[in-house]
Structures are given as C-alpha cells and as structure tokens.
Amino acid sequence: MASSGAATAPASQQEADDEVTVRDMRAEDMADIHRMIHELAEFEGMPDGPQLSVQDLIEDGFACSPSWFFGLVAERRGRVVGYALVNRAYSSWTRRAFYVEDLFVRPEARARGVGGRLMRALCGRALAAGVRRVDWHVLASNAGALRFYARLGARDLAASEGRAALRLDHACIEAVAAGRRPGGPAAAN
C-alpha cells in the first residue's frame, strides 16, 4: 500500500513525485490493471482470488452502459504504477457514494505520494459528482495501508459503528435466488 511521503521527501524524490500524473482509466490500460490486480491479490495472500480476464475488465468498464466501474491510473515516466478501481454506490443515509474496490501502488512507486495523488484525484471527482462518502475495505493485517488511510482521516467502521463486512459468493447467490439454503434444503419463505 502506498503512503504519502512528499512533505518530507528529499528534493530528488520531490522531483520524481512531480513526474506522477493521475488520469482516468482507459480500455487500453486494462492489461496493466489486470496484472496489478494479480499483484494486489498476491500481496494479500490470495493469488488465486481474481477470476476475471482483461476482456472482462474491458467489457464491464468500457463496453456497457452504464459501466460497472470507473477508475484512475497513476503514471510515472509513462508507466502505470498505480490504480484505483471504483464503483458508484448509493447510501440511504447520505445519497451518492463511491466504493473503492482496489487502490494499489506497485512496490517500486510506494512512498512517493502516488497513493495520496490517487486519493486526492478520487476525492476531487467525488466532490464534482456530489458524492458524500467514499467507502472501502482494507485487510486488518495491512498496517501500512491503515496508517496511510488514517492520515487521510478515514475511520474504521468496525470500531466506530460496529459494522461487519459481509459477502454472498456466487454459490450462495444462486442458492438464495432459488429459494434454498446454501448446501441445504429449500429456505423458508
């Protein structure tokens, strides 16, 4: 996970930071994004987790309307070194929201302000779109990411609101849609 270090960076690092640009994700970025999704999964100890292809990313982000996600990429010297993959969401409490599926910075670009630039660009986009909150999950074991996000003012919803993160995987979705319990008999109505 990236951490912001621009305020205390030596002059040479500040010059390198100036070379980082953030822009909207494009379809032609999807091969790089796909590789970084796998890098992130490896970092999180789940290398077999990602089950999507480059073509899936292109279809879901660029070939359908509305798209299932949008994203930002950070480039340094013409190379994609980080990305944020984001979904539009809706909150019954605050209206418009963004959910950050991934924020990843390649190891060689960390501690150069790349993650901070991605978050700054995302928050600027959020303000322009009338978004009132940005949510995401982070592994509890990722201390560097937790420190980075704490510096941004993020709060841990498990601690502040007692919220647990839950998920239905595909097999459970199928079972619920069919009116049965996963691995068991039909569910009661």
Side-chain angles (χ1 to χ4, degrees):
M1 171 77 316
S3 62
S4 178
T8 59
S12 62
Q13 186 172 333
Q14 286 177 348
E15 290 169 13
D17 290 347
D18 291 339
E19 296 174 16
V20 174
T21 59
V22 175
R23 62 169 173 78
D24 287 343
M25 220 177 249
R26 299 185 295 243
E28 57 267 23
D29 296 320
M30 293 305 101
D32 280 333
I33 300 305
H34 188 260
R35 279 190 291 277
M36 287 189 289
I37 287 170
H38 284 274
E39 290 174 37
L40 175 58
E42 182 75 32
F43 174 80
E44 292 181 339
M46 295 178 263
D48 297 326
Q51 302 294 313
L52 73 167
S53 69
V54 172
Q55 189 58 40
D56 293 334
L57 289 166
I58 292 169
E59 287 176 17
D60 294 342
F62 303 92
C64 62
S65 182
S67 61
W68 284 92
F69 69 87
F70 71 90
L72 300 169
V73 296
E75 288 181 316
R76 184 166 180 258
R77 297 180 182 156
R79 181 172 184 252
V80 176
V81 295
Y83 75 98
L85 191 119
V86 184
N87 304 299
R88 287 171 186 82
Y90 197 81
S91 167
S92 61
W93 289 16
T94 62
R95 294 183 63 205
R96 298 173 185 168
F98 284 163
Y99 179 79
V100 180
E101 179 66 28
D102 293 345
L103 178 79
F104 180 74
V105 175
R106 287 191 159 134
E108 69 273 11
R110 293 180 188 160
R112 297 181 180 274
V114 176
R117 286 179 186 233
L118 283 164
M119 287 299 290
R120 189 168 36 251
L122 178 62
C123 288
R125 187 167 180 161
L127 289 173
V131 166
R132 302 294 304 256
R133 68 190 239 191
V134 177
D135 297 321
W136 64 94
H137 290 91
V138 176
L139 290 177
S141 62
N142 191 341
L146 292 170
R147 284 190 303 274
F148 169 71
Y149 293 129
R151 285 193 301 271
L152 298 178
R155 17 185 210 105
D156 179 349
L157 295 179
S160 67
E161 297 181 12
R163 294 186 184 269
L166 304 174
R167 172 179 300 148
L168 288 177
D169 289 319
H170 191 258
C172 293
I173 293 168
E174 288 177 330
V176 171
R180 58 181 169 76
R181 291 194 180 121
N189 289 333

